[in-house]
Amino acid sequence: MFQHSSKLQYPVKVDKPDPQFAMLLQQAIGGVEGEIRVAMQYFFQAMGARGDDRIRDLLMSTATEELSHIEMLGHAVALNLEGAPVSYQEESAKDPIINAILGGANPRHLLSSGLSAMPVNANGVPFDMSHVYATGNIAADMMANVAAESGGRVLASRLYNWTSDKGMKDFLSFLIARDTYHQQQWLAVIEELGGLEKNLPIPNSTPEAHEAMEHSYYYLNTLTDKDAPMGRWNQGPSLDGRGEYSTRQKPEPEGQEPSLGKAREGSGAQKEQM
């Protein structure tokens, strides 16, 4: 059961409407870095969570908070579209708002949504759920969640730098702060599970007998004109404590040439292929 308050999670104000910024805000709603993505990601992870029920509750609470962020962003989009004319013939067509719409903002804000937000990105492409990651493996999902919150914070920071509107900056500073916490939250779950070393490799339940471990810890240098870049990733003990990193500078292929042979009769191939 979900419940809803009529009030927004945080105040959303716009000092001066800007339809072009409304278009940019759409990325934070329906982009791959946006709130629809993380809300659905945490929701589906919660529905499939097994084990510690606290983590299921954590995921579900955060999913519903992200729905709150969609609502706030939708309100911000509508406020930025405030005053935009509903026809080109209006006197307000001379106003910078309509010039912004004709000069690069999303015309669907007028044509499709009546000057309100839509479940699309900044290019008007609907979010299709292809970037919702819910594996049923808690460590893998937490890693995906940290990456999602990181991308969201990058986007919110770019939007903050884009606008000079004080109301929007205040709102975006709130979203940046919540992205900070959510990154910390998911990393804290990994810590509660024993930290990176205990959780790596993911899944840590896969028996070593199922893994060709002679191939688990070397860096494969495929640069033909350079030596391998050296760093923590190819020298010293592995992060999971199971091996030592090494480097293969000029690796030779170990597999066969992938020749499929003749085509079968009735396969629709040319006679010369059979």
Side-chain angles (χ1 to χ4, degrees):
M1 179 181 69
F2 297 97
Q3 295 181 324
H4 179 262
S5 170
S6 61
K7 295 181 179 179
L8 298 174
Q9 183 184 0
Y10 186 83
V12 177
K13 298 177 181 178
V14 172
D15 297 326
K16 183 179 179 181
D18 182 351
Q20 286 186 319
F21 195 63
M23 178 182 67
L24 299 179
L25 285 173
Q26 284 287 165
Q27 191 68 17
I29 296 176
V32 295
E33 316 93 330
E35 304 291 350
I36 294 177
R37 182 267 180 95
V38 288
M40 291 298 99
Q41 181 158 307
Y42 305 156
F43 185 47
F44 278 88
Q45 287 178 4
M47 290 193 294
R50 289 179 171 83
D52 190 340
D53 286 339
R54 295 179 307 149
I55 296 174
R56 180 188 186 279
D57 293 342
L58 184 65
L59 285 161
M60 191 61 76
S61 286
T62 311
T64 52
E65 181 185 354
E66 304 296 10
L67 292 175
S68 302
H69 296 176
I70 297 170
E71 183 180 23
M72 287 189 288
L73 282 160
H75 190 55
V77 167
L79 290 178
N80 273 289
L81 293 169
E82 195 73 28
V86 295
S87 74
Y88 184 77
Q89 286 75 22
E90 292 186 31
E91 181 65 22
S92 56
K94 301 175 183 178
D95 189 87
I97 291 179
I98 189 63
N99 290 331
I101 289 179
L102 297 175
N106 189 350
R108 288 195 61 207
H109 279 147
L110 171 62
L111 300 175
S112 300
S113 69
L115 304 179
S116 59
M118 298 177 290
V120 302
N121 67 13
N123 296 116
V125 179
F127 185 70
D128 66 0
M129 302 293 182
S130 61
H131 286 277
V132 170
Y133 306 126
T135 67
N137 179 294
I138 194 65
D141 286 349
M142 292 303 109
M143 295 286 198
N145 294 350
V146 172
E149 292 291 344
S150 301
R153 195 172 190 273
V154 168
L155 174 61
S157 297
R158 288 171 176 165
L159 288 168
Y160 184 96
N161 292 334
W162 189 286
T163 184
S164 60
D165 188 279
K166 290 182 179 179
M168 285 291 90
K169 280 187 175 294
D170 180 64
F171 168 49
L172 289 163
S173 71
F174 171 79
L175 293 182
I176 290 169
R178 295 310 296 161
D179 286 340
T180 295
Y181 173 69
H182 290 150
Q183 289 179 29
Q184 298 290 308
Q185 172 180 290
W186 305 132
L187 288 169
V189 172
I190 293 172
E191 185 175 288
E192 282 225 351
L193 294 172
L196 279 177
E197 183 174 327
K198 288 290 183 67
N199 284 279
L200 294 176
I202 298 170
N204 59 11
S205 59
T206 297
E208 290 187 357
H210 294 186
E211 180 177 354
M213 290 188 63
E214 67 271 24
H215 300 290
S216 295
Y217 297 105
Y218 60 75
Y219 172 80
L220 196 66
N221 182 30
T222 59
L223 303 173
T224 59
D225 57 348
K226 287 184 179 180
D227 284 343
M230 300 302 293
R232 179 64 183 90
W233 51 85
N234 59 357
Q235 51 193 340
S238 63
L239 293 176
D240 57 19
R242 301 193 313 163
E244 287 280 329
Y245 293 137
S246 62
T247 301
R248 293 192 177 184
Q249 288 284 7
K250 298 185 183 299
E252 292 292 332
E254 298 180 15
Q256 75 276 23
E257 185 177 342
S259 175
L260 296 178
K262 300 291 187 179
R264 294 189 304 169
E265 290 190 18
S267 65
Q270 295 296 96
K271 289 186 293 183
E272 291 77 10
Q273 294 176 260
M274 299 176 187

